[in-house]
Amino acid sequence: MLTKRLIACFDIVDGRVTKAIQFQDNIDVAAADVLAGEMYNAQIDELIFYDIHASSEKRLIDIETVKKVAARVFVPFTVGGGIKDLNGMYEALKAGAEKISVDSMAVRTPEIIREGAKAFGSQCVVLSTQVKRDPAFPSGYQVYIDGARTATGLDAIEWLKRCEDLGAGEICLNSIDCDGTLQGYDLPLMKKAEAAVRVPLIASGGAGEPSHLSDLFTQTQAQAAIISSMLYSPRLQKNYTPKELKQFLSDKGVSVRPFV
């Protein structure tokens, strides 16, 4: 049985981690490298880092912050935001990332997925996509880019299938409707995605309590979950450690990575 992964997601602004609700009203949390070290010591399984303004500001990813974070963690580390081409991918990998996330640029230039998979391997290319409920689309969801500010006209499930065909080795699926609400993941969305693609799926958006994780892992085939709010959101009365969450999941019969 494959173990389920818990992933801390950092939305980065000027080298600092922020937290938002539905991509708005970001609250400052901590310096990215400091929080990364804390998460690593607390036994997080992986870390995803998004430079959330890079695409909309039409600039490259904050490579210096990538280096600082990479120096503090020794678990799989994915970075995204401002990755425009193979050279940008290479620079991020050289700075310490193990995987590259493509989102807005993938919509604008889908071939970047194929090129990245060919150059670095599919396991290095993660499609991160923000989707929102929209009954006008066949799947009931539309893809958004630029930090969920720009509608693309793409059906979410058709987009996932296309990106898998292009070579994406993993998909991080973020529900805009659920993001930061602490009300649980969009399970119907995850079920539609798992029926359409074969690559591992990461669920993002909505986790606020441990039961949301057990619901996700027992009711869908998601292999990993973003749990950023639960770890460090100032809006929550209680934050959890990765160890506490793994213990809860283990008690529910969910296979998790070892913890001490």
Side-chain angles (χ1 to χ4, degrees):
M1 181 185 297
L2 289 175
T3 58
K4 304 301 185 179
R5 294 172 284 142
L6 300 183
I7 304 176
C9 178
F10 288 4
D11 289 341
I12 303 295
V13 176
D14 297 328
R16 297 186 64 82
V17 178
T18 67
K19 200 70 196 75
I21 296 178
Q22 296 178 325
F23 293 82
Q24 297 179 7
D25 302 323
N26 288 70
I27 293 176
D28 181 79
V29 176
D33 57 330
V34 173
L35 189 58
E38 293 175 0
M39 290 296 102
Y40 172 70
N41 291 333
Q43 303 181 62
I44 197 69
D45 294 322
E46 295 190 22
L47 177 65
I48 291 181
F49 165 134
Y50 296 126
D51 185 338
I52 60 173
H53 291 163
S55 293
S56 61
E57 294 176 356
K58 296 180 170 49
R59 60 171 172 77
L60 300 178
I61 193 168
D62 181 353
I63 205 73
E64 291 306 313
T65 301
V66 173
K67 291 178 181 178
K68 289 179 180 179
V69 170
R72 301 291 292 270
V73 299
F74 303 93
V75 293
F77 174 36
T78 302
V79 303
I83 305 291
K84 301 178 182 298
D85 51 29
L86 285 183
N87 184 63
M89 290 184 172
Y90 173 73
E91 290 299 322
L93 293 170
K94 186 171 68 172
E98 293 188 7
K99 305 177 192 178
I100 302 299
S101 167
V102 289
D103 183 345
S104 301
M105 188 53 59
V107 170
R108 293 188 170 99
T109 312
E111 280 300 311
I112 194 173
I113 297 173
R114 191 191 309 276
E115 293 169 359
K118 182 178 180 181
F120 308 112
S122 289
Q123 78 284 351
C124 280
V125 182
V126 179
L127 173 73
S128 292
T129 190
Q130 329 301 323
V131 306
K132 189 173 183 178
R133 297 186 190 109
D134 191 330
F137 288 79
S139 69
Y141 295 87
Q142 181 180 186
V143 174
Y144 281 69
I145 57 174
D146 297 333
R149 291 183 289 274
T150 305
T152 65
L154 294 171
D155 179 80
I157 299 304
E158 288 304 311
W159 175 238
L160 301 188
K161 291 161 65 175
R162 183 181 179 191
C163 292
E164 179 184 44
D165 290 342
L166 286 168
E170 194 168 31
I171 294 171
C172 182
L173 191 53
N174 192 354
S175 166
I176 296 170
D177 302 287
C178 296
D179 185 79
T181 64
L182 312 177
Q183 299 301 305
Y185 298 99
D186 189 332
L187 301 184
L189 170 63
M190 298 308 297
K191 290 176 181 179
K192 289 185 178 185
E194 70 190 30
V197 299
R198 299 175 302 278
V199 297
L201 294 171
I202 302 169
S204 179
E209 57 186 58
S211 64
H212 295 153
L213 286 169
S214 57
D215 289 345
L216 173 72
F217 290 137
T218 58
Q219 296 180 39
T220 80
Q221 297 175 27
Q223 294 189 9
I226 299 291
I227 54 171
S228 54
S229 290
M230 297 175 70
L231 295 172
Y232 54 76
S233 174
R235 293 187 174 99
L236 280 177
Q237 290 185 341
K238 173 178 172 52
N239 292 135
Y240 298 87
T241 67
K243 180 180 178 180
E244 288 175 318
L245 296 173
K246 289 181 182 182
Q247 184 66 66
F248 176 86
L249 289 170
S250 181
D251 291 344
K252 294 291 185 180
V254 177
S255 180
V256 295
R257 294 190 175 185
F259 59 95
V260 294

